[in-house]
Amino acid sequence: MDIRAFLKKEGELPLEQMVTNGGFCGILQRIACIGDSLSSGEMEGKQNGQKSFHDMMEYSWGQFFARDAGITVYNFSKGGMTAKDYLESFAEERGFWSPELAAKGYIIALGVNDVSRIMEGNMELGSIADVHPDAPEQNPHSFAGAYGAIVSRYKQLQPHAKFFFMTMPSHHERDERGILYDRHAALLYEMAALFENCYVLDFRKYAPDYNDEFKKNFYLGGHLSAAGYRLTALMVESYIDYIIRHNPDDFRQIAFVGTPHHNEDEKWS
């Protein structure tokens, strides 16, 4: 057995080594996925010219992930979700701030619907200056403020949990939406630098381009197909596996997250 297959590889890029069983993601044990339709396995139907949209959680990339890695994955998501709606009503209504649902890892995949609202003039993207980690009630009502407040609240609930912020894949956009997606990605890197235990899943940079060929194989209407959600699960698992292998000290005490225990001889961030 060559142990090097399971270690950090110099020069390796995210998604170069794909895993099919969750890889080292299994050590996270319990993950919550905070997102919109693309985190909810939403399927787009069409009958008599009328479209219909259905959140089918069993087809979400989170549940494929759970079955692969043998862990619990919560879908804290719904079609149409924005950071503002999640913070101000949805999470409270669904009990997603409950200590009983505290996770060791949080994947936040919000931004598509927020960008739509920004383009309509109903919201501002904001900046990292809008985020007050220890006083989220002071955050203004921008996307950055709401996103930062979500992170703060879950950090208060589970201080040593790991957070993974997902950027939007590239569609070769050359319009206002593409520019905003780029700004969104840059903001998430700033967010990860501001908070501890946070990492960026940069699908915009490292995932395949969601071009016509991709959509022909992995889309159903304007949303992903079952195969598309399955592929997304493989990419998320592989990216987090990459992060764990490249930052072993950060995850050495993951088993103690959510318990009163830790090992003082090791890093406990």
Side-chain angles (χ1 to χ4, degrees):
M1 177 182 179
D2 187 353
I3 193 66
R4 289 174 297 179
F6 302 98
L7 303 179
K8 170 184 176 179
K9 297 177 177 63
E10 294 300 330
E12 179 189 5
L13 297 177
L15 303 184
E16 277 190 338
Q17 179 170 311
M18 298 295 287
V19 299
T20 56
N21 64 348
F24 283 107
C25 297
I27 70 174
L28 292 169
Q29 191 184 53
R30 187 154 60 174
I31 294 174
C33 299
I34 300 165
D36 50 34
S37 61
L38 296 174
S39 297
S40 304
E42 182 156 313
M43 299 295 174
E44 183 175 321
K46 190 173 183 181
Q47 293 174 282
N48 301 318
Q50 297 296 313
K51 292 182 180 180
S52 59
F53 301 92
H54 313 273
D55 283 356
M56 301 180 71
M57 299 297 183
E58 67 273 23
Y59 281 101
S60 69
W61 54 260
Q63 294 312 310
F64 281 118
F65 186 166
R67 293 189 287 269
D68 284 345
I71 63 176
T72 297
V73 177
Y74 298 129
N75 287 99
F76 289 1
S77 61
K78 182 182 178 182
M81 189 55 54
T82 66
K84 181 177 182 292
D85 293 339
Y86 190 91
L87 177 69
E88 295 182 357
S89 59
F90 181 70
E92 184 70 34
E93 291 168 358
R94 299 297 180 93
F96 292 157
W97 305 122
S98 170
E100 288 73 24
L101 296 179
K104 293 180 184 287
Y106 292 87
I107 302 172
I108 306 182
L110 291 169
V112 174
N113 298 304
D114 305 83
V115 165
S116 294
R117 290 195 184 182
I118 292 166
M119 292 174 65
E120 293 164 358
N122 296 321
M123 181 187 292
E124 293 183 358
L125 179 68
S127 71
I128 198 65
D130 294 346
V131 183
H132 302 84
D134 298 322
E137 68 279 359
Q138 297 180 17
N139 293 7
H141 297 291
S142 63
F143 169 77
Y147 195 105
I150 292 169
V151 178
S152 291
R153 287 203 59 172
Y154 280 118
K155 278 188 162 293
Q156 292 168 1
L157 183 65
Q158 191 78 290
H160 298 289
K162 308 299 180 181
F163 288 76
F164 305 93
F165 306 150
M166 190 182 296
T167 69
M168 265 86 77
S170 173
H171 296 251
H172 267 321
E173 313 95 335
R174 295 292 184 267
D175 54 8
E176 180 186 4
R177 180 173 291 275
I179 293 170
L180 285 168
Y181 279 4
D182 288 341
R183 291 176 59 195
H184 169 274
L187 174 64
L188 295 193
Y189 274 101
E190 292 180 308
M191 203 82 68
L194 181 63
F195 290 98
E196 290 185 338
N197 290 313
C198 295
Y199 312 85
V200 177
L201 303 180
D202 197 346
F203 273 34
R204 191 151 190 80
K205 185 174 183 179
Y206 296 110
D209 190 85
Y210 284 31
N211 54 24
D212 290 342
E213 182 70 14
F214 185 96
K215 291 181 177 179
K216 183 173 71 174
N217 289 280
F218 298 111
Y219 264 62
L220 176 64
H223 287 77
L224 293 169
S225 66
Y229 291 117
R230 176 68 180 126
L231 177 62
T232 303
L234 293 174
M235 291 193 290
V236 173
E237 295 165 34
S238 300
Y239 209 133
I240 295 178
D241 173 83
Y242 165 89
I243 289 171
I244 294 171
R245 287 187 293 104
H246 283 250
N247 301 276
D249 289 346
D250 293 359
F251 293 85
R252 204 176 303 279
Q253 299 205 63
I254 193 67
F256 287 143
V257 172
T259 78
H261 314 297
H262 73 282
N263 187 315
E264 63 183 16
D265 293 334
E266 300 286 349
K267 179 180 178 181
W268 183 240
S269 57

